[in-house]
Amino acid sequence: KDPISSQPMSNGGVLAAPTKTDEMSDADYQIGQHLYRAYLENQRLDSEYGNGVKALDKAKDDAEISADITLQRMQKYLPQQLAKQGLYGTGMSEDAYLRLQNQYQQSVSDAARSYTDGLSRLESAYQQNKNSVWEQANTGVNTVVANAEANSQAMYDEAYAALDPSLLTSEADVDEILEQYKSKL
């Protein structure tokens, strides 16, 4: 649902771009545009982050599966290899099995460490990018507001100067000035 109107969204969950209405000032529309761009960029960042986490999950799972397959193969063929070398029954098999288990544990540990490091880098970049998006939006909105305030003050000063009693000769002059500036102020 659209969080503003509480209506179902027709475009798959993405808010529609703001459209300028007659009641909307240019400043309001520009602010809406800044916020909408920030919203879209955050949607993109969320999607990229989700895809990054999925890729890390898959890489970790693949590494663990590979380590498990290697362990299973070595366990299956180790007795044959030791027998061929004439080492079976000499205590070497226990040592070889321990090394095999250590290699497996090291592979699983490396996969977990790689996953944790990758996730940490991904989260850090994600947060930095999200902060940057909102800082840019905030700067844009503040610029629009400052410009609108400056324009409003300039318009007020102009209207005030036009209402100088020494320049007005009739009630119609006052009405004309008020009508001229009514929609601007």
Side-chain angles (χ1 to χ4, degrees):
K1 288 190 171 188
D2 181 335
I4 296 170
S5 68
S6 296
Q7 298 297 317
M9 290 190 267
S10 61
N11 55 359
V14 177
L15 288 176
T19 54
K20 189 170 185 319
T21 62
D22 293 337
E23 299 83 30
M24 191 181 292
S25 72
D26 288 340
D28 289 338
Y29 179 71
Q30 290 172 352
I31 289 170
Q33 288 292 317
H34 282 288
L35 295 176
Y36 182 69
R37 282 191 295 272
Y39 164 77
L40 289 179
E41 183 63 15
N42 273 301
Q43 293 293 99
R44 185 188 67 75
L45 290 171
D46 290 346
S47 176
E48 282 182 3
Y49 176 77
N51 291 338
V53 170
K54 286 178 188 174
L56 287 170
D57 287 342
K58 182 170 178 4
K60 180 182 176 201
D61 289 345
D62 289 350
E64 288 173 347
I65 289 169
S66 177
D68 190 50
I69 289 170
T70 301
L71 175 67
Q72 289 177 21
R73 282 185 182 157
M74 294 301 289
Q75 286 175 335
K76 180 178 180 180
Y77 297 114
L78 183 62
Q80 295 169 5
Q81 291 298 320
L82 290 173
K84 283 181 185 179
Q85 295 173 6
L87 299 173
Y88 199 74
T90 62
M92 292 297 289
S93 58
E94 290 84 15
D95 185 49
Y97 278 115
L98 286 174
R99 278 188 269 142
L100 192 59
Q101 284 294 329
N102 283 342
Q103 285 176 338
Y104 171 75
Q105 291 299 328
Q106 186 63 44
S107 294
V108 170
S109 176
D110 289 348
R113 184 174 28 262
S114 178
Y115 174 82
T116 302
D117 291 348
L119 188 59
S120 177
R121 285 190 304 274
L122 183 66
E123 287 177 351
S124 177
Y126 174 70
Q127 288 303 321
Q128 286 175 345
N129 289 336
K130 284 189 83 94
N131 288 339
S132 176
V133 165
W134 287 114
E135 285 173 10
Q136 289 173 354
N138 190 34
T139 298
V141 167
N142 287 339
T143 299
V144 169
V145 169
N147 289 342
E149 288 174 352
N151 289 341
S152 180
Q153 184 63 45
M155 200 55 67
Y156 174 81
D157 292 344
E158 184 180 314
Y160 186 78
L163 287 170
D164 183 351
S166 64
L167 300 174
L168 302 173
T169 58
S170 70
E171 187 176 308
D173 289 344
V174 172
D175 289 341
E176 180 183 328
I177 300 275
L178 291 176
E179 188 63 33
Q180 179 183 355
Y181 288 99
K182 180 169 79 173
S183 65
K184 297 177 183 178
L185 296 176

